[in-house]
Amino acid sequence: DKIHDLQTHADLILFLRDASGGVLAMSDNALFADPLLNYRFTADGDYTLELRDVRFQGNKYWQYALEISPRPFV
């Protein structure tokens, strides 16, 4: 566990926004430090998914995998 104290970690938050920028859904710390967002789209259109660190920090070595699926989350 000490290795985690030697580096900074991302604390991510996830937003789903409509075409005008309004927030339709958001998630923070659903699965420990990871966000989990479930949303059922009821209309066609343009949407934006925003994933960022809650502290507005960054690190060029951070990587994050994002999965988008039409399947339900069980």
Side-chain angles (χ1 to χ4, degrees), residues 29-41:
N29 299 333
L31 300 170
F32 300 101
D34 290 327
L36 172 68
L37 191 122
N38 288 307
Y39 187 83
R40 181 178 297 269
F41 293 90

Side-chain angles (χ1 to χ4, degrees), residues 5-6 17 35 38-39 71:
D5 296 337
L6 300 176
R17 298 181 183 273
N38 288 307
Y39 187 83
R71 300 181 315 260

Side-chain angles (χ1 to χ4, degrees), residues 49-67:
L49 192 61
E50 175 187 345
L51 177 67
R52 67 167 174 81
D53 185 84
V54 297
R55 298 162 298 198
F56 292 98
Q57 295 179 345
N59 184 316
K60 66 180 180 179
Y61 299 108
W62 286 350
Q63 295 182 12
Y64 197 78
L66 182 64
E67 180 181 345

